[in-house]
Amino acid sequence: LTITQLAGDLTVNGIDSTGTVTLDAQVATLVIDGDISAGDAVGLSGANGIDLGADITTTNDDVTFNDAVTLTANAQVGTGAGAGDITFTDTVDGGFALTLDAGTGDVDLQGEAGGTTPLASLTVDNATTATFGADVTTVGAQDVTAGTIETNGVHAVTGPGAIDFDGNLELLAATTLDTSSGSVTVTGTIDGAHDLVIDATGGIASLQDDIGSTTPLASLNVTASGPITFGGDVTTVGTQTMTSSTVRTNGTHTTTDSDITVNGSLTLLGNTVLDTGAGAGDVTVTGVTNGAFDLEISAGTGDVLFQSTVTSLASLTINSATNATFDGMVVGTGPQDITADLIYVGANHSTNNSDIRLNGNVELRSFTSLSTGVGAGDLLVTGTIDGAHSLLISAGTGDAEVQGEI
């Protein structure tokens, strides 16, 4: 079925066809007020745009919007369970809900969605690849399920609603995921040599798989009012900044001579490595650090700064730093092995019958106790110890050695 309108609007109140449907309003607006069902492909064009106020379905074939779309009612576009693509070649606007289901086909939004009038919500139920070529703005949720989700700009939810990406996220350009009162979740991997900013100021941020494992991100900046949870390794060239009441780690965070900053408490959900490379990249944790796992830090020529208590770790290892600063107590069951040019100690360091090794010069910032418990835990300071404060050393049945001047 082909309908071409040469004058005025082309208004469709419903079509049921077993074949192809092609609608073209060559000088005005294509107005879709009734459902379109087609056995084959659907192609829609309007010189002044397309008003979409109904549902469109095909049987495993493509649906293509060749001009700008304005939603005039909630709309669903589906191509069946098989390989049918859904393509918007221009912008999509309108304060209604848009639901897309491409089965094993692809979804491709090439222009802005909600740039003039935010959509009520956007849902992609199924797709092999869902590609967003520009910004996406909705009042409510953005819920995208696809094998690969490709982003190219800012995804913003301006009202109550979450951003849920169920699939692997591929950054084609710098990307921002921003919710005003909802959470941000990405269930799959995240890759792409671009900046990623996540702002879940009204909820949590859950990044459930590796980030940058195939292509390292340029940088990562995550803010959330609830916990930020990482389910895998995180690799960036530039900085990693996490701001939340609690940041939960579960693997290796790596940068190339750039800072790793946790603005909040750090909770280890598994053995964790924070590695800023051989150059000047700092590691900073402003809140309490805890979790019954190993924490290993390599800061190269950068600094390591713990501004609060470090507690309940299985072990703490700092392989390299210019300065390692502890503003609070460091309490753990396993060994503490700290290597830095200068180690600032601001409170007690203790283990449960395990070694404490301070490989560098030590500066006391307050009364300090270094204790390995009552059993066989050795205590070693390889450099000097300075500071106008009292120092208590207790090594139980282990050995205590200070190799530099006190």
Side-chain angles (χ1 to χ4, degrees), residues 75-77 97-101 107 119 121-126 132 138 141-145:
Q76 298 184 32
V77 180
L98 178 61
T99 301
L100 309 175
D101 189 341
V107 168
L119 277 58
S121 64
L122 174 64
T123 302
V124 177
D125 284 327
N126 293 287
F132 299 95
T138 59
Q142 297 181 28
D143 192 349
V144 181
T145 299

Side-chain angles (χ1 to χ4, degrees), residues 18 35 40 67 86 94 130 143 154 187 194 223 251 268 288 306-307 329 359 367:
T18 59
D35 295 345
D40 295 321
D67 294 288
I86 300 172
D143 192 349
V154 177
T187 66
H194 303 282
T223 302
L268 311 185
V288 173
F306 288 96
Q307 295 182 350
M329 294 188 299
N359 303 300
F367 168 80

Side-chain angles (χ1 to χ4, degrees), residues 253-325:
H253 287 241
T254 305
T255 71
T256 303
D257 305 333
S258 295
D259 296 348
I260 296 175
T261 304
V262 177
N263 294 308
S265 295
L266 175 63
T267 298
L268 311 185
L269 299 182
N271 294 335
T272 295
V273 175
L274 307 178
D275 186 349
T276 62
D282 297 339
V283 175
T284 302
V285 181
T286 66
V288 173
T289 300
N290 64 85
F293 297 96
D294 300 326
L295 176 59
E296 181 179 347
I297 298 175
S298 297
T301 60
D303 295 334
V304 173
L305 173 59
F306 288 96
Q307 295 182 350
S308 188
T309 302
V310 179
T311 183
S312 303
L313 302 186
S315 68
L316 173 64
T317 302
I318 298 179
N319 293 315
S320 58
T322 296
N323 299 311
T325 301

Side-chain angles (χ1 to χ4, degrees), residues 6-236:
L6 300 179
D9 294 341
L10 171 57
T11 300
V12 176
N13 292 315
I15 294 174
D16 190 351
S17 171
T18 59
T20 298
V21 174
T22 302
L23 306 176
D24 187 0
Q26 292 192 350
V27 296
T29 302
L30 173 60
V31 180
I32 302 174
D33 284 339
D35 295 345
I36 298 175
S37 176
D40 295 321
V42 173
L44 307 172
S45 303
N48 291 340
I50 302 166
D51 288 353
L52 178 61
D55 299 339
I56 301 174
T57 59
T58 68
T59 303
N60 304 327
D61 215 328
D62 300 343
V63 176
T64 304
F65 298 86
N66 294 304
D67 294 288
V69 173
T70 299
L71 302 179
T72 58
N74 296 336
Q76 298 184 32
V77 180
T79 59
D85 298 338
I86 300 172
T87 303
F88 293 80
T89 65
D90 209 320
T91 58
V92 183
D93 282 289
F96 296 93
L98 178 61
T99 301
L100 309 175
D101 189 341
T104 60
D106 297 330
V107 168
D108 188 5
L109 277 70
Q110 297 176 4
E112 279 191 85
T116 300
T117 303
L119 277 58
S121 64
L122 174 64
T123 302
V124 177
D125 284 327
N126 293 287
T128 295
T129 301
T131 301
F132 299 95
D135 298 344
V136 179
T137 305
T138 59
V139 176
Q142 297 181 28
D143 192 349
V144 181
T145 299
T148 300
I149 302 165
E150 298 177 337
T151 57
N152 238 311
V154 177
H155 287 245
V157 175
T158 62
I163 295 177
D164 289 309
F165 285 172
D166 188 358
N168 297 325
L169 176 59
E170 185 74 26
L171 310 183
L172 301 183
T175 294
T176 297
L177 308 180
D178 185 356
T179 61
S180 61
S181 60
S183 301
V184 174
T185 301
V186 181
T187 66
T189 60
I190 303 175
D191 284 289
H194 303 282
D195 299 323
L196 175 60
V197 176
I198 296 175
D199 190 350
T201 52
I204 68 171
S206 178
L207 309 175
Q208 299 176 6
D209 209 328
D210 290 343
I211 299 174
S213 59
T214 300
T215 304
L217 275 58
S219 68
L220 175 65
N221 190 325
V222 185
T223 302
S225 58
I228 298 171
T229 302
F230 295 97
D233 299 338
V234 180
T235 305
T236 61

